[in-house]
Amino acid sequence: MGASLKVYLLGRFEVARADAPIPAAAWRRRRPADLLKLLALTPGRALPREAVIDALWPDKDPASGANNLHRALYDLRQVLGGRFVDVDHGTVRLRADVWVDAEEVEQAVRHGELERLRTAVALYRGDLSPEDPESSWLVPPRRRLRALFAEAAHPVAREAALGGDVAQAVPLLRRLLAADPSSEEAHRLLMRLLAETGRRAEALAQYQACAAGKRLAGLGPPGLDTEALRDDIERGEIGPVRVAGQDGLRWLSRRLLGTEEPPPLRGREGVLPLLETVLDRGHGVLVLLGERGVGATRVAVEGARLAQARGFAVLGGQARPGLAPPGALFEGLLAAERRVRPDVPDPFREPGAGLDLPADQARLRLFEGVRDAVVGAGEGRPVYLLLDDLHEADPTSLNLLHYLARHAEPLRLVVVATCREEAIRAGAPVQTALARLDTERLARGLRVPRLAIAGT
């Protein structure tokens, strides 16, 4: 049988009795929750009465502290509906049958087997009691549990990476590095995975994050192995490799959706006809607008499937927030193509590109190089170009999109971009870029609404 009381402390504070969460409104007083947390985090789940008073009411005299403890005990029993916490011969105890997520994480990491480590990673939903960042008595266990999560996440992420499960490994490594920004091993593994999936700009930015994390921890610069990995990525020696028979659509779906075989698209009967119209015309730009999580990327990938069925070559890139070199959105997608077809030129790394040229001529040379590379990657076929998360793109990438949109018809190019509606605000680069495209009638916007009841 499961525990009659479960206490969740990681990522949020929540208590469930008989698997039914106790409403947050029941914790109208702070100290009953603090008392429960303190005992749940104490080895052996027991503390002398004086230690409890000193932790929770350090500024009170013994008599006042004892009264506060008595009131907190009474309130806690009312909330929990039973005597899960009691006082016995001057010791305050939490019952042994109460399940605590933080304790489960500690035991799983101590056990060390991979399956138990996966359990620890799943249970660690975030920092200990993030709703209470001020209490000093929570700081030591918060640091300890953060370190335990990092210890568990390392082997789990390595196993996922070795098994080719990038969709699991990359988010887990990001969580790990949020908990331990100085972990050079995790930075290195994430750099390699990003590079191998065609996200070279992100991989190089990750090197900078590694250097910053180590510097803040007082650990000096990244080691020689990390520097060598960065150099290999810069030279293009590490990048995506497609196995025989893996086409652009499957690779793109795996990269953006985490699976090569996404589930059927439902409830989008009003969106797909416009996609098909653009594909039948053979050129044009369509921007899919929607809230976060509404499924615009899934619609765009469905467009890629329809395009491939019509004989299009499928290319795709994804913009990412943070520091990135100019044109990073297009650099990443072309880097992926060069791993498959080395004859596709690299307009970003071509020796002498832009040397001794005025800025406007250097930019035009770059844009023409990207145009030629995109057309070359199509090998004579029309090209379906998916640009995901356009709102995160750097200004050079947005200008490149405008340039390609102006030449879409002779290039036989269909561009489908996704963009978050809330990011289109006055002064934002993406707002300016979309306004230019709309003014020149180079693109059409299409809102992807929330699913209706039937679609859901």
Side-chain angles (χ1 to χ4, degrees), residues 282-429:
H283 64 86
V285 179
L286 183 64
V287 181
L288 302 176
L289 305 165
E291 302 171 10
R292 177 175 182 168
V294 80
T297 301
R298 176 66 186 91
V299 172
V301 171
E302 185 67 9
R305 185 186 67 78
L306 296 172
Q308 185 172 266
R310 288 166 166 78
F312 281 64
V314 173
L315 305 178
Q318 185 175 39
R320 289 291 183 176
L323 297 176
L329 174 57
F330 290 88
E331 181 189 29
L333 71 93
L334 292 178
E337 289 307 307
R338 286 195 304 277
R339 294 295 297 176
V340 181
R341 292 194 53 217
D343 58 315
V344 172
D346 184 354
F348 294 92
R349 298 289 176 180
E350 184 178 337
L355 189 63
D356 297 329
L357 291 176
D360 57 342
Q361 292 185 32
R363 189 175 74 160
L364 179 60
R365 180 171 178 174
L366 172 64
F367 287 9
E368 290 174 343
V370 171
R371 176 200 63 195
D372 294 341
V374 169
V375 172
E379 299 180 292
R381 295 175 290 168
V383 175
Y384 179 97
L385 182 57
L386 195 165
L387 303 178
D388 197 34
D389 290 342
L390 193 65
H391 52 278
E392 299 285 11
D394 60 278
T396 300
S397 292
L398 295 170
N399 287 331
L400 266 166
L401 170 59
H402 184 265
Y403 175 85
L404 292 174
R406 293 177 62 189
H407 299 85
E409 184 172 2
L411 295 177
R412 296 197 299 161
L413 176 66
V414 169
V415 180
V416 175
T418 69
C419 183
R420 209 172 289 167
E421 277 184 308
E422 59 268 27
I424 305 175
R425 55 187 181 276

Side-chain angles (χ1 to χ4, degrees), residues 97-145:
D97 62 343
V98 175
W99 182 92
V100 181
D101 61 351
E103 187 177 67
E104 289 292 314
V105 168
E106 295 207 35
Q107 291 177 358
V109 176
R110 195 179 306 123
H111 196 274
E113 288 188 0
L114 193 58
E115 193 58 39
R116 296 293 298 275
L117 295 180
R118 291 195 193 97
T119 299
V121 167
L123 286 174
Y124 190 90
R125 299 189 180 185
D127 271 348
L128 172 69
S129 293
E131 74 284 345
D132 183 9
E134 304 298 331
S135 295
S136 59
W137 58 273
L138 282 170
V139 173
R142 183 176 289 133
R143 289 174 177 166
R144 183 180 71 252
L145 286 160

